[in-house]
Amino acid sequence: MLKTDWSIALALYREDGTPIGRLPVEVDWEPAHQWVRHLALCRGVVVRRRGAAEVRPLWRRAGGPAISGFRVAVETDGQPGEVACDFPATYFRSVALALSGPLVDAGHLASGETFRYLALAEPAPSNGGAAASAGFVVQEVTPAPVLHAGSLDGLRASATVAGEAAADEVPAFVPRGVLGEITSCTRRASPLETGGALVGHLNRDAAAQTVFSVITAQLPAEHTEASAVRLAFTADTWSAMRRALDARGRGEVLLGWWHSHPVREWCRQQKCPEATHERCALGHDCFSEYDRAVHRTVFPGAHSVALVANDVSDTNVTVSVFGWSLGMLGPRSLYVT
Amino acid sequence: METTEHVAIGGLEVSDVTGQKVASVSNVPYDCTVGEMIQGLLAEMQLPKNDGAGRPLVYHARLEREGRHLHGSETVGDALQPGDKVVLTPNIEAGA
């Protein structure tokens, strides 16, 4: 399990340098933790089961409290040392953005005003050793994922790239046929949203010290509740996905998810001229806070991919791709085979 | 006289939806409800408590042995046995 002895606060400033205030924030370290675990996989290092992962500040100046980022380190098995990765202060951007609404409401910021932040780390107050979970004893025992041997260059040679690559993104491959199925499902469900799981295998190229995803299929989501602007994945949805995955019997794992954006319907409701639908900003790289929450909640793994099928016109469904890069969620690319 | 082995359960294996995070859980009081157990596990398993709008997320516990979602009001002592595997599944919305 991840532990940190540090509390993070953000000192906020206007563009002209005027201080706005200093606010404590709750940082979600888990995507960074998952990123480091992925690096260990790439290097062929086994992360210690029941081992600790630790967050350490990277001071801007000795003594702090300002930090330029942080380091996450995980304990390894069978070899000395640890696997670690440094993360920049941009990791805190999403929590800084989340502060802006209340600051605007309180009159400390004007709506739309740009602000800057400086991350600060201070020793977290001790909880006196109190049990964190009502006295339960909880130990992480996540097994190492099954990795298939694969050649990254071999697969790349016969693939085309969709989307713009993010720095350090985990390579992912999807067959054109799977994208075709997603397009068909999107069309059938229109004007409602729909979605599903992306399943396949994790591969490791030992020579390149890289782990990458190879998607083999999409499984349509069942037991969802859909409207034109929402898609609720229920507990039954995830259970059905796991059953469908087991029934395939191919040793596949959940590598990500997809859902549709019925942009045509949105534009129709907004009474936008039909000629503008394909250029609509909502039809390109739109990944809402709701979408981000689904990805973070269910797919925090560094390799996890989210596809959005944008139903932008009678003849066109475009695909946007999102995923993790250094523990931060944003647009990314995908290899189509 | 009751002993600790009669008031708490151990040997549970709890995982997230993808199986990318698995925890061994023990010392859960028999009279603890499933809902309380889930809430106690979220922070330990680094699972988010809120959705994209900041509202509390609802998680269910699926008991693999019986192939059903447990009710939040069931007690751990009534519903679970040592060695049980439980999957935490959220109700969560994507959307614009």
Side-chain angles (χ1 to χ4, degrees):
Chain A
M1 297 293 178
L2 185 72
K3 73 180 178 77
T4 179
D5 297 327
W6 302 92
S7 295
I8 302 297
L10 299 183
L12 307 178
Y13 301 90
R14 292 201 163 76
E15 280 284 40
D16 65 4
T18 313
I20 299 170
R22 172 181 168 149
L23 296 168
V25 290
E26 197 169 319
V27 178
D28 179 11
W29 304 107
E30 182 60 13
H33 180 206
Q34 291 292 329
W35 190 263
V36 180
R37 292 178 71 99
H38 174 78
L39 290 183
L41 276 183
C42 292
R43 294 173 195 172
V45 175
V46 178
V47 172
R48 182 173 298 168
R49 286 182 90 182
R50 302 175 194 263
E54 194 180 345
V55 178
R56 302 169 191 151
L58 298 174
W59 304 113
R60 290 168 71 98
R61 269 182 285 185
I67 58 173
S68 58
F70 61 94
R71 175 171 299 166
V72 175
V74 297
E75 293 179 336
T76 59
D77 243 349
Q79 5 190 327
E82 58 188 21
V83 174
C85 180
D86 291 350
F87 296 84
T90 49
Y91 189 90
F92 305 119
R93 186 171 186 273
S94 58
V95 282
L97 279 173
L99 294 175
S100 62
L103 286 171
V104 169
D105 291 345
H108 298 305
L109 269 180
S111 180
E113 184 178 353
T114 305
F115 65 98
R116 298 177 182 277
Y117 65 85
L118 178 67
L120 312 168
E122 291 177 339
S126 166
N127 64 5
S133 53
F136 311 162
V137 177
V138 183
Q139 288 185 305
E140 183 165 1
V141 292
T142 304
V146 175
L147 299 175
H148 296 250
S151 163
L152 184 58
D153 284 343
L155 272 174
R156 273 179 176 156
S158 58
T160 56
V161 181
E164 257 186 58
D168 299 320
E169 67 183 22
V170 179
F173 295 83
V174 64
R176 196 169 301 279
V178 170
L179 295 181
E181 286 179 27
I182 289 172
T183 297
S184 299
C185 291
T186 297
R187 285 280 191 225
R188 275 199 300 274
S190 180
L192 303 179
E193 292 200 3
T194 187
L198 300 171
V199 305
H201 299 108
L202 279 175
N203 286 27
R204 180 167 183 267
D205 185 326
Q209 293 219 328
T210 302
V211 170
F212 54 96
S213 300
V214 178
I215 294 164
T216 51
Q218 67 87 24
L219 306 177
E222 299 172 0
H223 311 293
T224 55
E225 294 160 10
S227 73
V229 292
R230 289 278 186 275
L231 181 67
F233 293 91
T234 64
D236 287 333
T237 303
W238 304 116
S239 297
M241 274 182 192
R242 286 172 60 99
R243 281 198 303 275
L245 192 59
D246 290 345
R248 286 169 63 84
R250 301 178 192 182
E252 295 156 318
V253 294
L254 288 167
L255 294 175
W257 64 295
W258 70 271
H259 76 294
S260 66
H261 282 170
V263 180
R264 278 187 301 161
E265 176 64 13
W266 298 347
C267 291
R268 192 186 63 75
Q269 289 180 3
Q270 296 292 317
K271 300 189 180 352
C272 303
E274 207 165 299
T276 66
H277 291 186
E278 291 209 40
R279 299 196 305 273
C280 178
L282 292 172
H284 305 278
D285 296 342
C286 172
F287 203 61
S288 70
E289 286 303 315
Y290 291 93
D291 300 340
R292 297 174 71 88
V294 172
H295 200 72
R296 164 61 187 92
T297 302
V298 184
F299 298 101
H303 61 270
S304 300
V305 170
L307 300 188
V308 179
N310 307 295
D311 186 3
V312 292
S313 75
D314 289 340
T315 55
N316 197 9
V317 174
T318 64
V319 173
S320 306
V321 194
F322 302 87
W324 300 105
S325 173
L326 268 178
M328 292 172 274
L329 192 49
R332 55 156 294 159
S333 70
L334 189 66
Y335 291 102
V336 182
T337 57
Chain B
M1 191 174 85
E2 278 189 322
T3 64
T4 52
E5 50 196 306
H6 293 125
V7 297
I9 191 169
L12 303 175
E13 184 182 292
V14 182
S15 76
D16 68 357
V17 168
T18 63
Q20 288 169 19
K21 188 169 283 285
V22 184
S24 164
V25 181
S26 55
N27 206 33
V28 185
Y30 269 14
D31 60 357
C32 176
T33 66
V34 169
E36 290 166 344
M37 182 184 78
I38 291 172
Q39 287 305 312
L41 289 174
L42 295 185
E44 293 289 327
M45 294 183 68
Q46 311 286 334
L47 290 168
K49 291 185 174 176
N50 299 315
D51 69 7
R55 298 170 303 200
L57 270 174
V58 175
Y59 287 83
H60 294 264
R62 180 179 170 80
L63 174 58
E64 296 286 70
R65 174 169 51 83
E66 295 184 356
R68 70 177 180 102
H69 287 115
L70 301 173
H71 290 288
S73 59
E74 289 182 78
T75 64
V76 164
D78 287 340
L80 297 177
Q81 299 172 4
D84 271 342
K85 295 182 178 179
V86 172
V87 181
L88 299 184
T89 54
N91 281 350
I92 189 165
E93 278 185 3

